[in-house]
Amino acid sequence: MTVDLVAEFEAERGRLTAVAHRMLGSRSEAEDAVQETWLRYAGALADPQRRAEIRHLGGWLTTTCARICLDVLRSARVRRETYPGQWLPEPVVTPWDGGVPAPDGFAPDPADRAVRRDQLGTALLVVLERLSPEQRVAFVLHDVFAVPFARIAEVLASTPEAARQHASRARRAATATDVPRHTADPAEQRRVLAAFAAATESGDLDALVRVLAPDVVLIGDGGGHFPTARRPIVGVDPVARFLLGLFTRASRYGQHLRAAPVLVDGVLGLHLETVAPDGRLLRMVTGFAVHDGRISGLFHQLNPDKLHLLPDLAPDATWPPRW
C-alpha cells in the first residue's frame, strides 16, 4: 500500500513542481509546497472519509498544491516589499546539450505539459510578480496548465465567474505592451544568443544594438550581495551601453570571465563566472526573452542565495561560450 501510494505521488511530482514554481518563483519554496502536498495526501489516505473525496488524483493534488501556494504568495508580499533592489525569481538551471529544450525547466514528460512556447522562461515569472496572489493562481492554473475554472474556484474559495475574472485581468497584465515577449524557437534562441555573445566580446556597440529590441529591458538581482541597477534599464541604447560597460570593466581589471550555455527556466541562457573587484567569486545566471529575432529581455540573477543549487562550470568553460 505504501509503495503504491509513493509511486502514485511520484508520478505527479514533476507536474506539481512545475505548477508550484510558476506560482512562487522559487524552486526551494516550490519543493516545500510539493512536500506539504505529499503530507496532506498521505493524511487524506489515512482517513476513509477524506480518501473518498479523491476521485481524480492529479486534480486533487494540483488543487491542494495550489492552495498551499496561495497561502505562501499572500505571506510573501510583505517579505518582497523589503527586498534590497530588484527581485528576480530563483532560476531553474539545467544543462544544455545542444538539443531542443524541455517544455519547462524540470518537468520530464512533454505529453503532460500544457505550457505554450510564449509562456516559458524567466520573462513569464517576472510578469507574474505584478499580479495579486489570486490573479497569479488563476492565470497559472488555467492559462498554463489548463485547469478548469470550476476547480480554480475551489482553490480560491470563490465562484467560477470570479476565477475567470482573475485570470482575465492577469492575462491583460501578461500581454501588456511593456512586457518582454519570448516566442523564439530553440534554433532562433541559439542564433541570437551567439550574436549577443560575439558583440559583447568584441565591444561592437552597433552589433549589440542590432541584436537588442528597441524596448529591451534589463533587470538585475544582486540580493544586496553584489551591486546592480536599482531599477530596470529600458531601451536599446541604455541597455547596450550598460552591457558593454560590464564587459569593459571586467577586462580592465583583468577578471577572467567563463561561461556556458544552459537552460534557464526552460529557455536557452547563460551561466557566467568571474571574480569581483573585491576578490569574491561572482556567479551569474542570465535568462533571456527573444522575440522577432531580437532580445526583448535580459534577467541577471547574481544573488548567491538563489544560486546555491547552481552546478560548477566545467573546467574548460570559456568566454565567449561554445555553441
Side-chain angles (χ1 to χ4, degrees), residues 177-235:
T177 55
D178 63 336
V179 172
R181 295 196 64 197
H182 175 75
T183 56
D185 62 22
E188 184 179 9
Q189 293 174 40
R190 182 174 182 173
R191 177 184 62 77
V192 170
L193 265 63
F196 165 82
T200 52
E201 166 65 11
S202 67
D204 188 335
L205 178 62
D206 291 338
L208 184 55
V209 165
R210 286 194 295 271
V211 83
L212 299 175
D215 55 351
V216 61
V217 59
L218 185 150
I219 300 174
D221 179 349
H225 297 278
F226 292 100
T228 58
R230 295 289 298 177
R231 300 183 183 212
I233 302 173
V234 181

Side-chain angles (χ1 to χ4, degrees), residues 119-190:
Q119 292 176 322
L120 292 172
T122 309
L124 171 64
L125 294 172
V126 171
V127 170
L128 295 181
E129 282 299 305
R130 301 181 177 189
L131 309 179
S132 72
E134 293 76 14
Q135 290 170 353
R136 185 166 184 165
V137 167
F139 177 79
V140 169
L141 289 181
H142 183 267
D143 283 39
V144 182
F145 291 94
V147 175
F149 284 117
R151 180 160 289 152
I152 297 171
E154 296 176 16
V155 175
L156 301 178
S158 68
T159 65
E161 291 72 22
R164 187 185 301 276
Q165 191 171 56
H166 282 307
S168 177
R169 289 171 179 164
R171 200 175 300 118
R172 287 197 295 272
T175 56
T177 55
D178 63 336
V179 172
R181 295 196 64 197
H182 175 75
T183 56
D185 62 22
E188 184 179 9
Q189 293 174 40
R190 182 174 182 173

Side-chain angles (χ1 to χ4, degrees), residues 238-319:
V239 169
R241 293 184 183 280
F242 178 84
L243 289 167
L244 289 186
L246 289 179
F247 286 91
T248 299
R249 284 195 297 273
S251 175
R252 182 183 305 151
Y253 290 109
Q255 298 161 4
H256 181 54
L257 181 62
R258 304 165 63 234
V262 291
L263 297 180
V264 183
D265 300 316
V267 171
L268 191 59
L270 290 172
H271 170 186
L272 304 99
E273 289 187 0
T274 188
V275 177
D278 61 5
R280 290 181 296 164
L281 175 65
L282 189 156
R283 308 169 84 199
M284 181 170 77
V285 168
T286 298
F288 294 84
V290 179
H291 174 65
D292 281 348
R294 292 184 173 185
I295 296 171
S296 60
L298 300 96
F299 310 98
H300 293 332
Q301 181 56 263
L302 300 88
N303 185 349
D305 295 337
K306 298 181 181 181
L307 298 176
H308 61 283
L309 296 178
L310 189 65
D312 293 332
L313 280 175
D316 60 348
T318 62
W319 179 261

